[in-house]
Amino acid sequence: MSFAVKENKTLNEKYYFKKHKSGLSVYVFPKKHSNTFALIGTKYGSIDTTFKTDRDSDFLTIPDGVAHFLEHKLFEDEHGNDAFQRYAKYGGNANAFTSFVRTAYLFSCTNNFEDNLEVLLDFVTHPFFSEESIKKEQGIIGEEIRMYQDNPGWRVFFNMLGAMYVNNTVRKDIAGTVESISQITPDILYKTYNTFYNLNNMALCVCGDVTAEQVESVCDKALEPSEEITIERIFPEEPERINQERVTLELEVAQPIFNIGIKDVPVSSPEESIKRAAVYEILLQLLFGKSSDFYNRHYESGLINNKFAVSFDHDRNFAHIEISGSCDNPDDVKKAVCEEIALRKNVFFTKEEFDRAKRVVYANNIYNFDSTEVIATGFLSFVFSGNDMLEYPSIVSSVSYEESKERLMSSFDINKCVISIVFPKKTQ
Amino acid sequence: MIFERMEIKKGVFVSAVKTDKFKTNLLTVNLLTPLCAETASLNSLLTDVIKRGTVLYPNMQILHKKQDELYSLGLNAYVQKRGELQLITFELSAIDDAYTFDGMNLLEQATELLGELIFNPVTENSVFRAEYVAQEKKNLIDSIKAQINNKSSYAIKRCHEIMCKGEPFAVSVAGEISAVEKITPEQLYAQYKELLKNAAVEVLFVGNRDASEIAALLAKHLPFTERKPFIKETIVKTTADEVKKVTEKMQINQCKLSIGMRIGTSLKSKDYIKFSLFNELFGGSSTSKLFLNVREKKSLCYYCQPVVEGVKGVMVIASGVESKNKDTAYEAIMEQLEDVRNGVISDAELGDAKRSLENAYREITDSPASICAWYISRIITGRSDSPEDAANSIASVTKTDIIVMAKRLVLDTVYSLEG
């Protein structure tokens, strides 16, 4: 079977797709850059803590932080060598990351692409976990957790999630805690690995000066077929209401920093996912963008400053708007945000303002296509939500004035608005 | 990728890196001035006040609406530190005309707006608006205070300050609170006029135009006059007196250990490529001695890596460790350095470091911002070599070269920030 081709003539970009015989979905995005960026991801992140396959009789519940721990451990083989050393033979620059909903392993290189890709596919499909190597990793990750404890931006963010979500596992720190990772055993890692690192649950995205055939021949060489399995996950029931309206903490910061969250209803289909992303990006630009009345009025009054930022984040079972910044009176910002939303539900923006916001969203998206890393990483997240990155511009342009107005009225529920603040430590 | 540099007027230079790789164009106008305590805060505040509005677009909202119409044009002003120079940078990033849907001559209109921002700021009583100056003073002071929020970068900054006390390099590029507090609209405007008249101008462009096309755009929209700029050389110290040991307290969980060193060379020197390879092997990559031994084998820290300032010739080995392991980590780091000095370098390590560094250089050509950062450092140090040139020159560096560079390193300061 040959590769399917998908092209966007306006963007002047295209990609090739194939479900490889091993079960892996393969996407190749040609780009005349010096470097080639490749990442392989599994649809498994920190929120997936209770699961089973159709071969298992019982559900397994794992400690917090396993996805991230597994990401670290996969780099090491049975001889104690790490994958970085294997890449080093071919000059590949490697890394990995774990998010709420996925784990990904990546490299970029300007030479020896096939050799580097073979290293990636090989180490990700050959796990080795031992008591001894787990113990060592607990030390390194313990330091990583401690480092994040001192990071006010990280703390204020997770406190916001904890305020919005009552039971959803998205409220838990991705790396877990020093205590939770101490419960990790080789058996837990193997069971988790064998569930989620099945190639049918994974995708490979490559962007650079390479051909689909080059990628395929390395896959043929490095990958054994995975059995088709069905994964079942159990998530705690999440009520629509928020957990608590306000949460605060004191840390070594100079000025209070804040995250305001507005809880939203999760999306139920891929179509809804991409559409909502586009509508919200336009709405947030209208409401709180740099050219908005809100931003300028409150910047001039001194309530906010240029650290003020807004975004919409959503995935499998969560959706929320995030508003962040640093200022003297964060509670007043929350009040102003809620008032603005209430006002705009009554007096929506003009058609002219709407068209300008759409132009901004269109143009900002063009910037994404200048980097092989942004393309490959972005591509994976579109793929895992059942969508196509090249379709995003046309989805944005299809958003109508009326539906945006309707969306603002029906969502953006100010009764589901929370604030998390990190205050400076009081001087003793 | 073609690099071209020309002097369009005395003291005003235009450099262009022409490439059709990108869908966007990046243009920066850099005013080069000596980094010094008297003007650093003024220059820093200037970049904030100037963004508040122009004569044609007198407030931020009107200006931002114009940027929106120009396809979300990125327009920014900020200060940067390169050795002992302070750069006042005005930056424009625009999607290429080919991706506009109404056939707009975007780059030209964008340059015109950049010219308006630089040359035509909104004023009252012939100086900057008092209200804007007062607000931006408050914002800047808050942002200087917020430097403690990021413990790693704060620890590196403190280490630089202690190590280079008395040298211009110790001056904070963002400014000092006490100096910012005293600034008046009159002083700020006088500094602005002084910069426009006398600072060296380096314009850098990355995108699908050549230098002469950019020069023509500038002639039309950025009316810089002839000038005789005074450029002060960065002092590169290669020795240290007594090792300074400083510990500061903050209520934090993880200790930030910062080891400050003089590298015994600088970007100006032909030797710099040798130092860069030493650095890659010692701590710069994920197969380096620091990563493999201090992090992976001894499990002492989550990160442990050198942060190099090539123009000044200093580096800080920055790490995050548990306080009780601070001394052990210090010993482990110095032991790795001793190993390199003693020639404990395998052929595999050397090969890995070479490939890793070569890859890093070649990747620079894939990002407009990286290309820009590369060439501005080159221009300041009187060089014009490309990232590809640097990549190609690695092969000839030998193990002996690395040992020589390692021996040139001089310990200057050990700084730790702990709970």
Side-chain angles (χ1 to χ4, degrees):
Chain A
M1 194 182 77
S2 63
F3 279 84
V5 193
K6 176 82 186 268
E7 187 165 9
N8 180 324
K9 289 216 163 67
T10 323
L11 282 173
N12 193 21
E13 299 288 1
K14 65 178 167 189
Y15 71 87
Y16 297 82
F17 165 72
K18 182 177 197 170
K19 177 103 172 163
H20 186 253
K21 60 192 176 198
S22 60
L24 182 68
S25 296
V26 178
Y27 299 84
V28 182
F29 203 112
K31 190 93 185 158
K32 293 270 177 216
H33 274 217
S34 305
N35 78 355
T36 299
F37 192 96
L39 95 162
I40 186 167
T42 163
K43 217 187 279 186
Y44 163 58
S46 65
I47 66 168
D48 300 299
T49 51
T50 303
F51 51 82
K52 74 185 225 16
T53 71
D54 51 347
R55 315 277 148 97
D56 306 318
S57 46
D58 295 321
F59 279 93
L60 175 69
T61 296
I62 55 174
D64 295 334
V66 167
H68 173 256
F69 202 95
L70 189 50
E71 171 219 307
H72 273 239
K73 273 327 328 156
L74 215 44
F75 273 84
E76 196 173 309
D77 70 12
E78 67 262 42
H79 310 296
N81 296 320
D82 75 28
F84 288 120
Q85 283 165 296
R86 297 177 62 192
Y87 278 119
K89 284 201 196 88
Y90 309 112
N93 180 16
N95 213 334
F97 64 83
T98 306
S99 72
F100 296 125
V101 291
R102 71 188 71 98
T103 315
Y105 302 82
L106 54 96
F107 71 84
S108 67
C109 69
T110 52
N111 257 316
N112 312 313
F113 166 71
E114 278 105 331
D115 297 311
N116 282 303
L117 181 60
E118 199 177 332
V119 172
L120 174 70
L121 298 179
D122 185 70
F123 87 82
V124 170
T125 51
H126 290 88
F128 175 77
F129 312 121
S130 69
E131 296 280 358
E132 190 194 352
S133 76
I134 286 174
K135 197 163 183 310
K136 193 202 74 181
E137 206 63 32
Q138 282 160 344
I140 295 172
I141 295 179
E143 277 314 309
E144 187 177 0
I145 291 170
R146 252 183 280 278
M147 185 175 80
Y148 279 104
Q149 288 296 307
D150 288 334
N151 182 327
W154 189 255
R155 300 289 298 276
V156 79
F157 172 67
F158 274 93
N159 276 354
M160 172 192 71
L161 293 175
M164 271 190 293
Y165 295 97
V166 182
N167 302 315
N168 194 314
T169 41
V170 75
R171 64 204 300 282
K172 305 276 187 82
D173 196 320
I174 291 168
T177 62
V178 172
E179 201 277 320
S180 75
I181 63 168
S182 74
Q183 301 162 25
I184 292 173
T185 62
D187 186 50
I188 290 173
L189 292 182
Y190 278 116
K191 281 188 174 139
T192 308
Y193 178 88
N194 289 328
T195 303
F196 292 110
Y197 285 72
N198 182 297
L199 293 173
N200 294 289
N201 189 47
M202 301 177 79
L204 172 69
C205 300
V206 179
C207 180
D209 196 3
V210 295
T211 64
E213 289 68 31
Q214 271 176 287
V215 175
E216 186 178 26
S217 73
V218 181
C219 289
D220 287 347
K221 191 169 158 196
L223 299 176
E224 299 285 335
S226 280
E227 290 179 88
E228 289 256 11
I229 54 163
T230 316
I231 302 169
E232 278 184 75
R233 301 163 162 94
I234 297 182
F235 294 108
E237 184 96 9
E238 176 66 21
E240 276 197 22
R241 68 175 171 88
I242 55 169
N243 187 29
Q244 63 186 117
E245 215 173 291
R246 186 172 186 269
V247 54
T248 66
L249 174 76
E250 284 183 13
L251 284 176
E252 289 270 6
V253 294
Q255 189 181 39
I257 62 171
F258 65 88
N259 269 199
I260 295 167
I262 304 173
K263 192 172 175 179
D264 201 12
V265 182
V267 297
S268 54
S269 70
E271 296 74 28
E272 202 190 332
S273 167
I274 193 165
K275 184 72 166 201
R276 199 186 299 178
V279 174
Y280 276 41
E281 204 180 339
I282 295 167
L283 282 174
L284 291 175
Q285 171 64 24
L286 280 166
L287 283 160
F288 304 117
K290 289 269 159 83
S291 57
S292 67
D293 290 348
F294 176 93
Y295 182 85
N296 288 282
R297 188 166 70 243
H298 295 298
Y299 187 102
E300 279 170 19
S301 77
L303 179 63
I304 59 170
N305 52 39
N306 65 8
K307 297 193 175 70
F308 183 85
V310 194
S311 63
F312 172 59
D313 192 13
H314 75 296
D315 219 296
R316 299 203 296 259
N317 64 348
F318 62 87
H320 54 258
I321 292 156
E322 275 169 53
I323 301 171
S324 62
S326 171
C327 71
D328 295 330
N329 303 300
D331 290 303
D332 293 348
V333 179
K334 183 187 170 213
K335 194 163 157 265
V337 162
C338 291
E339 280 169 6
E340 183 68 11
I341 290 169
L343 170 79
R344 293 301 182 172
K345 284 186 183 210
N346 280 319
V347 190
F348 194 64
F349 301 91
T350 64
K351 182 73 172 44
E352 190 200 339
E353 289 170 317
F354 174 78
D355 288 338
R356 204 174 49 231
K358 260 174 93 164
R359 177 183 283 225
V360 168
V361 173
Y362 161 81
N364 289 348
N365 187 53
I366 300 275
Y367 283 87
N368 293 336
F369 291 91
D370 269 352
S371 153
T372 55
E373 175 174 359
V374 175
I375 292 171
T377 314
F379 212 91
L380 185 76
S381 81
F382 274 96
V383 163
F384 279 171
S385 67
N387 283 300
D388 178 345
M389 192 176 180
L390 288 190
E391 273 171 15
Y392 191 63
S394 64
I395 301 286
V396 169
S397 73
S398 77
V399 174
S400 74
Y401 179 73
E402 288 71 26
E403 76 178 310
S404 302
K405 187 175 172 180
E406 159 55 29
R407 189 78 219 186
L408 179 64
M409 307 275 270
S410 61
S411 308
F412 287 74
D413 184 350
I414 56 178
N415 297 313
K416 290 189 201 151
C417 182
V418 305
I419 186 164
S420 155
I421 309 173
V422 169
F423 285 109
K425 274 193 189 291
K426 296 201 179 72
T427 42
Q428 284 90 7
Chain B
M1 222 171 75
I2 306 158
F3 176 78
E4 256 188 296
R5 182 161 187 266
M6 52 168 85
E7 187 169 21
I8 54 168
K9 268 188 190 140
K10 199 158 174 27
V12 182
F13 291 85
V14 173
S15 307
V17 180
K18 187 177 181 187
T19 166
D20 60 3
K21 256 185 185 178
F22 307 116
K23 292 179 161 40
T24 57
N25 292 305
L26 178 66
L27 180 76
T28 66
V29 175
N30 304 278
L31 308 180
L32 277 47
T33 61
L35 179 64
C36 67
E38 289 71 34
T39 51
S41 301
L42 280 165
N43 292 338
S44 174
L45 182 63
L46 175 66
T47 59
D48 295 325
V49 171
I50 212 156
K51 283 181 288 206
R52 293 300 298 270
T54 76
V55 171
L56 284 178
Y57 308 96
N59 67 38
M60 277 194 332
Q61 188 170 25
I62 298 172
L63 185 60
H64 280 133
K65 281 185 176 170
K66 179 69 186 172
Q67 289 171 242
D68 288 358
E69 278 161 26
L70 297 178
Y71 291 86
S72 193
L73 180 74
L75 203 55
N76 204 358
Y78 51 90
V79 285
Q80 312 181 64
K81 178 167 165 175
R82 283 287 200 289
E84 291 171 348
L85 282 181
Q86 187 181 30
L87 276 55
I88 295 94
T89 302
F90 302 91
E91 179 186 295
L92 167 170
S93 56
I95 63 170
D96 192 56
D97 296 7
Y99 296 93
T100 62
F101 39 71
D102 47 11
M104 186 188 277
N105 190 356
L106 181 55
L107 185 62
E108 166 122 33
Q109 291 198 41
T111 311
E112 192 177 352
L113 187 60
L114 182 69
E116 169 77 12
L117 185 84
I118 300 173
F119 288 95
N120 212 12
V122 69
T123 55
E124 65 186 9
N125 308 322
S126 309
V127 294
F128 290 115
R129 278 190 67 179
E131 188 195 344
Y132 289 172
V133 174
Q135 284 171 349
E136 294 308 331
K137 278 167 73 171
K138 153 96 170 83
N139 287 341
L140 178 56
I141 289 168
D142 286 342
S143 132
I144 294 170
K145 286 182 183 163
Q147 286 167 355
I148 61 163
N149 294 8
N150 183 331
K151 316 305 172 206
S152 334
S153 59
Y154 177 75
I156 293 167
K157 179 176 183 276
R158 287 293 298 137
C159 187
H160 278 154
E161 284 169 355
I162 295 160
M163 171 158 62
C164 300
K165 195 176 174 201
E167 300 169 60
F169 191 74
V171 173
S172 168
V173 71
E176 292 294 341
I177 293 169
S178 58
V180 175
E181 278 168 345
K182 293 192 198 97
I183 296 173
T184 64
E186 289 74 20
Q187 285 173 321
L188 191 63
Y189 199 74
Q191 176 65 12
Y192 162 72
K193 283 292 183 189
E194 164 65 25
L195 284 172
L196 276 196
K197 189 163 164 248
N198 291 322
V201 182
E202 288 288 349
V203 177
L204 246 141
F205 173 82
V206 181
N208 203 4
R209 302 285 193 287
D210 60 30
S212 61
E213 289 173 273
I214 299 304
L217 275 181
L218 296 183
K220 223 164 136 187
H221 302 295
L222 297 183
F224 285 109
T225 50
E226 289 194 359
R227 60 204 58 221
K228 272 190 233 144
F230 163 71
I231 294 291
K232 209 164 145 248
E233 289 279 319
T234 295
I235 307 155
V236 179
K237 271 182 72 175
T238 54
T239 56
D241 310 326
E242 206 179 321
V243 176
K244 300 182 263 294
K245 290 190 174 155
V246 178
T247 298
E248 289 180 334
K249 296 278 177 190
M250 207 186 253
Q251 289 188 39
I252 48 177
N253 288 295
Q254 188 185 62
C255 167
K256 301 292 175 190
L257 173 66
S258 301
I259 305 172
M261 299 197 150
R262 308 276 177 177
I263 65 173
T265 182
S266 78
L267 193 53
K268 250 186 137 57
S269 161
K270 281 209 303 272
D271 286 339
Y272 195 74
I273 189 75
K274 300 175 190 167
F275 166 78
S276 296
L277 187 62
F278 151 78
N279 186 55
E280 197 71 13
L281 179 133
F282 172 59
S285 79
S286 41
T287 50
S288 66
K289 286 186 178 287
L290 291 184
F291 187 91
L292 286 185
N293 296 295
V294 183
R295 172 179 145 133
E296 293 291 319
K297 280 212 185 94
K298 300 199 170 164
S299 193
L300 279 168
C301 48
Y302 176 64
Y303 72 96
C304 177
Q305 58 207 30
V307 179
V308 179
E309 217 291 2
V311 182
K312 177 68 180 166
V314 294
M315 82 176 197
V316 173
I317 303 166
S319 62
V321 299
E322 259 192 273
S323 289
K324 66 172 164 58
N325 291 334
K326 188 179 80 171
D327 295 338
T328 323
Y330 174 82
E331 293 302 327
I333 291 166
M334 294 319 253
E335 189 185 309
Q336 294 307 313
L337 179 58
E338 269 319 297
D339 275 1
V340 185
R341 285 174 170 158
N342 293 330
V344 185
I345 302 166
S346 69
D347 290 342
E349 277 177 305
L350 182 65
D352 289 352
K354 284 187 172 185
R355 281 182 291 270
S356 175
L357 187 61
E358 182 185 340
N359 191 58
Y361 283 143
R362 295 199 192 279
E363 285 193 336
I364 287 171
T365 64
D366 290 327
S367 143
S370 307
I371 294 170
C372 218
W374 172 271
Y375 278 108
I376 199 76
S377 292
R378 280 344 185 241
I379 288 167
I380 284 170
T381 46
R383 307 171 62 141
S384 61
D385 54 326
S386 67
E388 290 96 336
D389 293 337
N392 295 336
S393 69
I394 295 168
S396 64
V397 182
T398 64
K399 203 181 281 190
T400 315
D401 292 332
I402 291 177
I403 297 168
V404 170
M405 296 316 291
K407 285 181 176 165
R408 282 207 210 160
L409 245 58
V410 178
L411 178 63
D412 188 298
T413 299
V414 182
Y415 171 80
S416 56
L417 182 67
E418 57 186 73

